[in-house]
Amino acid sequence: MQIEFVGPGAALKETDALALAVFEPGQLSEPAQEADAASSGQVARAIRASRFTGAAGQTLAVVAPAGSSAGRLVLVGLGKSDAVDAAAAEAAAAHAFNAVKDTGATRLVIAVRGSAVLAAHAALGARLAAYRFDRHRTTESADKKPSITTVVIETGDPGAAREAHAPLAALGEAIAFARDLVSEPANVLYPVEYARRVRELAWLGLEIEVLGVEEMSQLGMCALLGVGQGSERESQLVVIQWKGASDPEAHPIAFVGKGVCFDSGGISIKPAEGMESMIWDMAGSAAVVGAMHVLAARKAKVNAVGILGLVENMPDGAAQRPGDIVKSLSGQTVEVINTDAEGRLVLADALWYCQDRFKPRFMIDFATLTGAIVVALGNDIAGLFCNDETLAANLLAASKSSGDPLWRMPLPPKYEKQLESHAADVKNTGGRAGGSITAALFIQKFVNGLPWAHIDMASTAWKTGSTVPTIPSGATGFGVRLLDRLAAEFYEA
């Protein structure tokens, strides 16, 4: 979809669809006042004849009034005029796009007239709302596809808006890339193919290397390799580096992602119902890829490293069994109680490798790790576990400003007793009680005392029947924006 920025009035002469802002309670924005005056009050009369108040998230389709060259007019609620911020601008533009995307209109003008920053965020909101994963559709008729191909943002300073939009455009592309990865079926996106797609991002200036089974075996990554040994698809460890700081050798910040391209549960096999959703058990790794994508694209002044542990968890005759004991890269042995508690095994080796090789300032892992976090926090908030107060505070602040919601969870040492094994150093699961907490406590054993955060995003990676205007149903791209904001606010020079 094409995004354009134009000055006041330039886009209003002729367009398929026009979106105008209204504030609560029924206060017309400047462009809406102009449209109302040109139509002898038809816009205001339409509002009075409806239940539309201008509340945030409301839309009202109006028959194009006399004096307007627009084919259709949509009024979009922005809420209180003194509470309009970047998030409100994104949501309003997304609502406007969603209101007309299937109407046959090809050109949507959104009259903003606010600051350049708000105009830029409006463009991002429309871009995120327009995302659609349709590359495997072959028989869909044209009238079933969204028709909008161009979104025009009318603003007071188009040049400043374009400048403000440049890093946001990079963010939008990175989120779309992450959503694509999460949406792909496992027969298309398996570890080797995933690694190949990441290699293609080298054009952004990223340094990328891939370790296969032989290399990981030599290193001693038996925890990660044990998860993938039942699959015919070879496991991979992908290392992505961005060196944007003034000193390219300065200690980086580090992101580690769980990349289980398909999770059958292994020998501890999952129920058949809903197993198809396990194509997105690699969403944590996609968040890391997206974050590295946007940092490189906008030339962030920070050194960062991303580590992806890519495996398939399958119930082959060679698969790992409950009761097996594996030796991790750290040297700690793990008794595998449940082969469906596999993501933490992948992270155990990936995190140890990361801290040992790169000596980062901190590590943050992203994983669709436990159903327990969904029980605890529902479907809209990810769980944050952290051993460092500064890192936790920075993540929570970035969560608030980015719109990727986090809630801090505890790491009580006494719960570690649930992980005690009679035969190994630790068990890979502590049972149902406090399942997301004991999973985090397990992972913590492999960070070697480094500042670390674990984000359990099983609740936020995918939305079915989404009500968030900037997130169509499906893959969300959760985490990309959070990490970009974290770097920008706290760690860039």
Side-chain angles (χ1 to χ4, degrees), residues 198-225:
V198 176
R199 281 187 187 275
E200 290 185 341
L201 297 179
W203 70 272
L204 290 167
L206 294 166
E207 298 178 13
I208 301 161
E209 58 186 297
V210 178
L211 281 66
V213 170
E214 183 177 348
E215 294 94 334
M216 287 188 280
S217 297
Q218 291 174 356
L219 289 169
M221 291 186 165
C222 297
L224 184 154
L225 291 173

Short mmCIF file of all heavy atoms in Angstrom, two decimals, residues 198-225:
data_model
loop_
_atom_site.label_atom_id
_atom_site.label_comp_id
_atom_site.label_asym_id
_atom_site.label_seq_id
_atom_site.Cartn_x
_atom_site.Cartn_y
_atom_site.Cartn_z
N VAL A 198 16.22 -15.15 7.03
CA VAL A 198 16.93 -14.19 7.87
C VAL A 198 18.22 -13.75 7.18
O VAL A 198 18.59 -12.57 7.21
CB VAL A 198 17.23 -14.78 9.26
CG1 VAL A 198 18.06 -13.81 10.09
CG2 VAL A 198 15.92 -15.09 10.00
N ARG A 199 18.91 -14.67 6.52
CA ARG A 199 20.12 -14.31 5.79
C ARG A 199 19.86 -13.22 4.76
O ARG A 199 20.73 -12.38 4.49
CB ARG A 199 20.69 -15.55 5.07
CG ARG A 199 21.47 -16.52 5.95
CD ARG A 199 22.09 -17.57 5.04
NE ARG A 199 22.73 -18.65 5.75
CZ ARG A 199 23.98 -18.63 6.20
NH1 ARG A 199 24.71 -17.54 6.06
NH2 ARG A 199 24.49 -19.68 6.81
N GLU A 200 18.67 -13.22 4.19
CA GLU A 200 18.35 -12.22 3.16
C GLU A 200 18.29 -10.80 3.72
O GLU A 200 18.29 -9.84 2.96
CB GLU A 200 17.01 -12.58 2.51
CG GLU A 200 17.07 -13.82 1.63
CD GLU A 200 15.77 -14.08 0.90
OE1 GLU A 200 14.73 -13.55 1.34
OE2 GLU A 200 15.80 -14.81 -0.11
N LEU A 201 18.27 -10.67 5.05
CA LEU A 201 18.23 -9.34 5.65
C LEU A 201 19.61 -8.70 5.73
O LEU A 201 19.76 -7.59 6.24
CB LEU A 201 17.61 -9.41 7.05
CG LEU A 201 16.15 -9.88 7.12
CD1 LEU A 201 15.69 -9.92 8.56
CD2 LEU A 201 15.24 -8.97 6.30
N ALA A 202 20.63 -9.38 5.24
CA ALA A 202 21.98 -8.83 5.27
C ALA A 202 22.07 -7.51 4.52
O ALA A 202 22.94 -6.68 4.82
CB ALA A 202 22.97 -9.85 4.70
N TRP A 203 21.18 -7.28 3.56
CA TRP A 203 21.20 -6.03 2.81
C TRP A 203 20.98 -4.82 3.70
O TRP A 203 21.36 -3.68 3.35
CB TRP A 203 20.15 -6.05 1.68
CG TRP A 203 18.73 -6.01 2.17
CD1 TRP A 203 17.96 -7.07 2.50
CD2 TRP A 203 17.92 -4.84 2.35
NE1 TRP A 203 16.70 -6.65 2.90
CE2 TRP A 203 16.67 -5.28 2.82
CE3 TRP A 203 18.14 -3.48 2.18
CZ2 TRP A 203 15.63 -4.41 3.12
CZ3 TRP A 203 17.10 -2.59 2.48
CH2 TRP A 203 15.88 -3.06 2.93
N LEU A 204 20.39 -5.03 4.89
CA LEU A 204 20.16 -3.93 5.82
C LEU A 204 21.44 -3.53 6.56
O LEU A 204 21.46 -2.51 7.26
CB LEU A 204 19.09 -4.32 6.84
CG LEU A 204 17.66 -4.45 6.33
CD1 LEU A 204 16.78 -5.15 7.37
CD2 LEU A 204 17.09 -3.08 5.99
N GLY A 205 22.48 -4.34 6.42
CA GLY A 205 23.71 -4.09 7.16
C GLY A 205 23.89 -5.00 8.35
O GLY A 205 24.82 -4.83 9.14
N LEU A 206 23.02 -6.00 8.48
CA LEU A 206 23.13 -6.97 9.56
C LEU A 206 24.20 -8.01 9.23
O LEU A 206 24.35 -8.41 8.08
CB LEU A 206 21.79 -7.67 9.77
CG LEU A 206 20.64 -6.78 10.28
CD1 LEU A 206 19.31 -7.50 10.13
CD2 LEU A 206 20.87 -6.38 11.72
N GLU A 207 24.91 -8.45 10.25
CA GLU A 207 25.83 -9.57 10.12
C GLU A 207 25.12 -10.83 10.60
O GLU A 207 24.63 -10.87 11.73
CB GLU A 207 27.10 -9.32 10.96
CG GLU A 207 27.89 -8.10 10.53
CD GLU A 207 29.10 -7.87 11.41
OE1 GLU A 207 29.46 -8.79 12.19
OE2 GLU A 207 29.67 -6.77 11.35
N ILE A 208 25.05 -11.83 9.76
CA ILE A 208 24.25 -13.02 10.05
C ILE A 208 25.08 -14.27 9.85
O ILE A 208 25.76 -14.42 8.83
CB ILE A 208 22.99 -13.06 9.14
CG1 ILE A 208 22.15 -11.80 9.36
CG2 ILE A 208 22.17 -14.32 9.42
CD1 ILE A 208 21.19 -11.50 8.25
N GLU A 209 25.02 -15.15 10.82
CA GLU A 209 25.66 -16.47 10.69
C GLU A 209 24.71 -17.54 11.20
O GLU A 209 23.84 -17.27 12.04
CB GLU A 209 26.99 -16.51 11.45
CG GLU A 209 26.88 -16.20 12.93
CD GLU A 209 28.23 -16.11 13.61
OE1 GLU A 209 28.94 -17.14 13.63
OE2 GLU A 209 28.56 -15.02 14.12
N VAL A 210 24.87 -18.75 10.68
CA VAL A 210 23.98 -19.84 11.01
C VAL A 210 24.80 -21.05 11.44
O VAL A 210 25.73 -21.46 10.73
CB VAL A 210 23.08 -20.22 9.80
CG1 VAL A 210 22.18 -21.39 10.16
CG2 VAL A 210 22.26 -19.01 9.35
N LEU A 211 24.44 -21.61 12.58
CA LEU A 211 25.06 -22.84 13.08
C LEU A 211 24.10 -23.99 12.83
O LEU A 211 22.92 -23.90 13.17
CB LEU A 211 25.38 -22.75 14.56
CG LEU A 211 26.63 -21.97 15.00
CD1 LEU A 211 26.49 -20.48 14.67
CD2 LEU A 211 26.88 -22.17 16.49
N GLY A 212 24.59 -25.07 12.23
CA GLY A 212 23.79 -26.26 12.01
C GLY A 212 23.99 -27.28 13.11
O GLY A 212 24.65 -27.02 14.14
N VAL A 213 23.46 -28.46 12.90
CA VAL A 213 23.52 -29.51 13.92
C VAL A 213 24.96 -29.88 14.26
O VAL A 213 25.31 -30.05 15.43
CB VAL A 213 22.73 -30.75 13.45
CG1 VAL A 213 22.98 -31.94 14.37
CG2 VAL A 213 21.24 -30.43 13.40
N GLU A 214 25.81 -30.00 13.24
CA GLU A 214 27.19 -30.40 13.50
C GLU A 214 27.91 -29.40 14.40
O GLU A 214 28.59 -29.76 15.36
CB GLU A 214 27.94 -30.57 12.18
CG GLU A 214 29.37 -31.06 12.36
CD GLU A 214 30.07 -31.29 11.04
OE1 GLU A 214 29.39 -31.30 9.99
OE2 GLU A 214 31.30 -31.48 11.05
N GLU A 215 27.75 -28.11 14.07
CA GLU A 215 28.41 -27.07 14.87
C GLU A 215 27.87 -27.05 16.30
O GLU A 215 28.64 -26.92 17.26
CB GLU A 215 28.23 -25.69 14.22
CG GLU A 215 28.93 -25.53 12.89
CD GLU A 215 28.03 -25.84 11.71
OE1 GLU A 215 27.06 -26.62 11.87
OE2 GLU A 215 28.29 -25.31 10.62
N MET A 216 26.54 -27.16 16.45
CA MET A 216 25.95 -27.14 17.78
C MET A 216 26.34 -28.38 18.58
O MET A 216 26.54 -28.31 19.81
CB MET A 216 24.43 -26.99 17.69
CG MET A 216 23.99 -25.60 17.28
SD MET A 216 22.19 -25.37 17.38
CE MET A 216 21.66 -26.14 15.85
N SER A 217 26.46 -29.51 17.91
CA SER A 217 26.89 -30.74 18.60
C SER A 217 28.31 -30.58 19.15
O SER A 217 28.61 -30.98 20.29
CB SER A 217 26.84 -31.93 17.65
OG SER A 217 25.52 -32.18 17.22
N GLN A 218 29.19 -30.00 18.35
CA GLN A 218 30.56 -29.78 18.79
C GLN A 218 30.63 -28.84 19.99
O GLN A 218 31.49 -29.01 20.87
CB GLN A 218 31.39 -29.24 17.63
CG GLN A 218 31.63 -30.25 16.51
CD GLN A 218 32.33 -29.64 15.31
OE1 GLN A 218 32.58 -28.43 15.26
NE2 GLN A 218 32.63 -30.48 14.32
N LEU A 219 29.71 -27.88 20.03
CA LEU A 219 29.68 -26.94 21.16
C LEU A 219 29.09 -27.58 22.41
O LEU A 219 29.40 -27.17 23.53
CB LEU A 219 28.86 -25.70 20.80
CG LEU A 219 29.49 -24.74 19.79
CD1 LEU A 219 28.47 -23.71 19.34
CD2 LEU A 219 30.70 -24.05 20.40
N GLY A 220 28.21 -28.58 22.22
CA GLY A 220 27.57 -29.22 23.36
C GLY A 220 26.17 -28.72 23.64
O GLY A 220 25.70 -28.74 24.79
N MET A 221 25.46 -28.29 22.62
CA MET A 221 24.09 -27.78 22.78
C MET A 221 23.08 -28.93 22.75
O MET A 221 22.18 -28.97 21.91
CB MET A 221 23.77 -26.76 21.67
CG MET A 221 24.52 -25.47 21.77
SD MET A 221 23.92 -24.30 20.52
CE MET A 221 24.61 -22.78 21.13
N CYS A 222 23.21 -29.82 23.70
CA CYS A 222 22.35 -31.01 23.67
C CYS A 222 20.93 -30.74 24.13
O CYS A 222 20.02 -31.50 23.80
CB CYS A 222 22.99 -32.11 24.54
SG CYS A 222 24.59 -32.66 23.92
N ALA A 223 20.71 -29.67 24.89
CA ALA A 223 19.35 -29.32 25.30
C ALA A 223 18.54 -28.88 24.09
O ALA A 223 17.42 -29.35 23.86
CB ALA A 223 19.37 -28.23 26.37
N LEU A 224 19.10 -27.98 23.30
CA LEU A 224 18.41 -27.52 22.09
C LEU A 224 18.27 -28.65 21.08
O LEU A 224 17.18 -28.88 20.54
CB LEU A 224 19.19 -26.35 21.48
CG LEU A 224 18.59 -25.65 20.26
CD1 LEU A 224 19.09 -24.21 20.18
CD2 LEU A 224 18.90 -26.36 18.95
N LEU A 225 19.36 -29.37 20.83
CA LEU A 225 19.33 -30.42 19.82
C LEU A 225 18.40 -31.55 20.19
O LEU A 225 17.80 -32.19 19.31
CB LEU A 225 20.74 -30.94 19.58
CG LEU A 225 21.70 -29.97 18.90
CD1 LEU A 225 23.12 -30.53 18.88
CD2 LEU A 225 21.24 -29.65 17.48
#
